[in-house]
Amino acid sequence: AKHASSTLHATISIKLSQTCPLHRIHLFKRSLSTKSSSSSSSSAAGAGGYQSIGSFHSENIETLLTVPDHAYHPPELPFETKTPPPSFKYDDDFMLDRKEWTFLNHGAFGGALRCGYDRAAQWREYLERQPLRYFDRDLLPHLTHATRLAASFIAGERSGTVLVPNATTGLNAVVRGYAREFGEDSFVVLFDTGYGSVKKMARHYCRREVAVVPVVTGLGTTPIREDAFEVALEKFIDGQRRGGGGASKLKNALLILDHTTSNTGINLPVDKLAKRAKEEGMLVLVDGAHGLLAQDVNVAELSRAGVDFYVGNAHKWMSAPRGVGVLYCGSERLRDTVLRRPAVISHGIDDGFLSRFLWDGCRDYAAQLALPVVISYWNDANPVLIRQNIRDKTRAATDILISKWHNGSGDSECSGNFTIAPMTMHSPMALVKLPLPFNDGPGSHKTSADAKRIQDFLFRNKVEVPIKCIDGTLYVRISCHVYNELEEYDRLGDIMMKLTSS
């Protein structure tokens, strides 16, 4: 009788649901209630509804980040890939128009790999076909997956790795957070070779004191020594000790180091400099805008040497689409103090480190979503071999220009006054002094206006390469990536020699 009664009730309910919208709603609510009460294994987050930050309908990203590799299942792409496998014929794999241009300035804003560009375009198209599906359900798990791969690529802990739009965003987060935490005691130290915008950040956020340690200032035509940065830092520390009556004033100061300087293309010994800074109780931030791929970035080793924060761009030497960088901090204490507030505060501010930085509002995340295919490309190509290729090419390209411009001397080991630093400090960029009459000998002092005129001339001749004025001397800054060929540096050398005779 009970079974017959239930059957009759169900029949009546079905008939009512076909004619009464309110009854359909009642049945739906009762169904949800039954499912909820019967699920005894639901977590607290699951029982409450949303598991991720805000009201996104995806898994908890902090949990996804911490799942061990052997138990982690990467999210599947929600579309079929259109890009063919890479050929490792770099004319095909990069998108640059090298038939029209001699492009020797990769260090400025990079040059995208076709596989990364195509993957980003597919994500943009997928987004526009159903925006809520993309933002609510697919975006965060795939960004978390990209973060896991980025952490592996730089040999870092996943808990200390976040993606940012670019190095500038990451640097702002660190410098502003440092100034907020240390207030009137904040003290930033950087070299005169530091990037211009970073000097402006330091002066804007840390108004009390910013020290610029000279290395190339007053250099003239003399190349720097291989230990120039270590000597300059030691001299600065000694000066601070004397000024403080014998006691170091540098405890909790922030030392900002370039992994590779932008204007001068010099690789700093960041591990040695960080170790020395730690002896004085300083915090250390590395601006690795030119680091990823071009240098062997192992943030675990750098952390042991004394580096507290590492920030890098993926659009430069990794050739990812523009809009993705990496911020690393291995210290949980610093993540929860200096990096407690990202540059943009949004839904994840009260959650973990990844949550605070991963979502910063409705914008185009395609470059970050394309990072996995870019990392896969370089892993397949073997980063160690890529770096060796770049180093060898930088040395050979420098030899070509020295040979053409400076009395036939093509031995970069004995480059003398022709490069701004020893070749052991250059790769993937190098500065080579321009020939006479562009540098008129002892006593001449050139300006940035002179540099611009020459760079504009080269641009009109379809050569893209920057001319730098360093302490009154003019240099060309060459970039060398895997797609560059030595014939391109030959062309640069020949065009400059024609200009000297005109």
Side-chain angles (χ1 to χ4, degrees):
K2 183 176 180 181
H3 176 72
S5 174
S6 299
T7 303
L8 177 62
H9 176 77
T11 303
I12 294 171
S13 296
I14 291 171
K15 290 182 177 179
L16 281 171
S17 69
Q18 293 171 350
T19 58
C20 179
L22 290 176
H23 189 74
R24 288 200 298 270
I25 294 172
H26 168 73
L27 288 177
F28 179 67
K29 287 182 176 178
R30 190 176 69 178
S31 173
L32 287 180
S33 175
T34 302
K35 289 179 180 178
S36 176
S37 63
S38 64
S39 179
S40 59
S41 61
S42 297
S43 65
Y50 299 107
Q51 299 180 40
S52 192
I53 59 175
S55 57
F56 292 99
H57 293 261
S58 58
E59 302 95 324
N60 183 293
I61 58 178
E62 298 292 339
T63 301
L64 287 177
L65 189 70
T66 57
V67 173
D69 286 336
H70 71 272
Y72 175 70
H73 299 286
E76 295 184 2
L77 287 173
F79 46 76
E80 291 187 10
T81 58
K82 299 177 181 178
T83 305
S87 65
F88 299 107
K89 296 177 181 177
Y90 299 118
D91 279 339
D92 298 331
D93 292 348
F94 285 82
M95 300 184 67
L96 291 164
D97 181 5
R98 294 179 55 245
K99 293 180 180 178
E100 179 77 12
W101 287 89
T102 299
F103 191 78
L104 307 177
N105 196 10
H106 192 99
F109 298 104
L113 283 165
R114 186 171 298 280
C115 63
Y117 177 89
D118 288 348
R119 180 64 56 83
Q122 284 187 279
W123 273 111
R124 292 186 183 105
E125 181 177 345
Y126 178 77
L127 154 63
E128 300 304 340
R129 288 185 178 277
Q130 217 285 39
L132 268 294
R133 174 183 60 183
Y134 167 92
F135 281 112
D136 263 356
R137 303 176 190 278
D138 291 317
L139 177 62
L140 297 186
H142 281 274
L143 287 177
T144 305
H145 177 54
T147 303
R148 291 177 65 106
L149 294 177
S152 177
F153 194 78
I154 62 175
E157 299 175 2
R158 292 193 296 271
S159 59
T161 307
V162 290
L163 300 183
V164 288
N166 47 52
T168 301
T169 303
L171 289 163
N172 268 274
V174 176
V175 178
R176 183 174 68 173
Y178 167 76
R180 183 187 64 248
E181 287 298 313
F182 290 91
E184 291 299 315
D185 294 326
S186 61
F187 181 18
V188 175
V189 181
L190 37 69
F191 292 107
D192 59 357
T193 53
Y195 194 52
S197 74
V198 178
K199 294 174 183 175
K200 292 177 181 179
M201 282 179 218
R203 293 185 177 112
H204 177 80
Y205 292 125
C206 306
R207 298 180 182 276
R208 186 184 76 84
E209 191 170 5
V210 175
V212 179
V213 180
V215 176
V216 297
T217 303
L219 186 67
T221 59
T222 305
I224 70 168
R225 292 168 38 186
E226 196 161 3
D227 62 350
F229 291 91
E230 296 154 89
V231 170
L233 180 61
E234 197 62 48
K235 183 177 180 180
F236 172 75
I237 291 172
D238 288 344
Q240 291 295 309
R241 285 182 174 277
R242 289 195 299 272
S248 174
K249 295 168 54 179
L250 296 176
K251 183 174 175 57
N252 293 326
L254 178 64
L255 176 64
I256 304 179
L257 304 172
D258 292 274
H259 206 154
T260 301
T261 62
S262 178
N263 214 33
T264 50
I266 301 170
N267 301 326
L268 271 61
V270 292
D271 51 347
K272 296 178 181 178
L273 295 170
K275 183 178 180 181
R276 181 65 186 93
K278 271 290 175 282
E279 293 172 359
E280 300 298 320
M282 302 173 74
L283 297 173
V284 180
L285 162 63
V286 174
D287 176 1
H290 292 275
L292 301 184
L293 185 69
Q295 309 301 330
D296 183 11
V297 179
N298 185 316
V299 291
E301 291 183 359
L302 290 175
S303 295
R304 287 191 288 272
V307 173
D308 298 291
F309 312 95
Y310 191 98
V311 181
N313 276 323
H315 72 263
K316 286 185 182 283
W317 299 96
M318 284 185 73
S319 297
R322 289 157 196 83
V324 56
V326 177
L327 165 60
Y328 183 81
C329 176
S331 165
E332 184 177 3
R333 177 182 64 83
L334 292 175
R335 294 197 298 266
D336 290 340
T337 52
V338 172
L339 293 175
R340 182 65 187 85
R341 300 178 192 171
V344 177
I345 293 175
S346 191
H347 288 300
I349 186 61
D350 295 321
D351 294 273
F353 186 50
L354 175 66
S355 299
R356 293 200 291 271
F357 281 85
L358 196 66
W359 169 265
D360 55 14
C362 182
R363 64 172 175 86
D364 186 354
Y365 290 88
Q368 296 182 354
L369 294 169
L371 188 61
V373 74
V374 173
I375 290 175
S376 176
Y377 178 94
W378 293 119
N379 282 338
D380 289 345
N382 190 332
V384 174
L385 297 180
I386 292 296
R387 282 189 285 273
Q388 187 61 53
N389 175 290
I390 291 173
R391 279 193 295 270
D392 293 345
K393 197 171 295 180
T394 304
R395 182 178 294 272
T398 302
D399 288 348
I400 288 171
L401 297 179
I402 292 174
S403 178
K404 286 181 179 291
W405 294 348
H406 299 289
N407 300 320
S409 175
D411 184 359
S412 58
E413 292 291 350
C414 303
S415 57
N417 291 333
F418 305 138
T419 57
I420 198 168
M423 284 306 299
T424 52
M425 302 179 77
H426 285 304
S427 180
M429 300 182 291
L431 258 66
V432 183
K433 189 185 297 183
L434 293 187
L436 295 173
F438 302 112
N439 289 305
D440 297 326
S444 68
H445 191 88
K446 300 299 182 181
T447 67
S448 59
D450 298 313
K452 185 181 186 308
R453 280 193 291 270
I454 298 170
Q455 187 167 336
D456 288 345
F457 166 80
L458 292 168
F459 181 85
R460 290 192 297 270
N461 283 270
K462 301 296 184 181
V463 178
E464 186 62 70
V465 69
I467 305 299
K468 301 293 186 179
C469 183
I470 308 297
D471 203 44
T473 300
L474 297 178
Y475 297 83
V476 62
R477 189 196 73 182
I478 56 171
S479 292
C480 301
H481 212 325
V482 289
Y483 60 78
N484 286 121
E485 298 173 355
L486 295 181
E487 290 79 4
E488 295 176 290
Y489 304 95
D490 263 318
R491 181 166 186 259
L492 168 63
D494 291 341
I495 289 176
M496 287 299 299
M497 293 307 294
K498 288 179 182 177
L499 182 59
T500 65
S501 60
S502 65

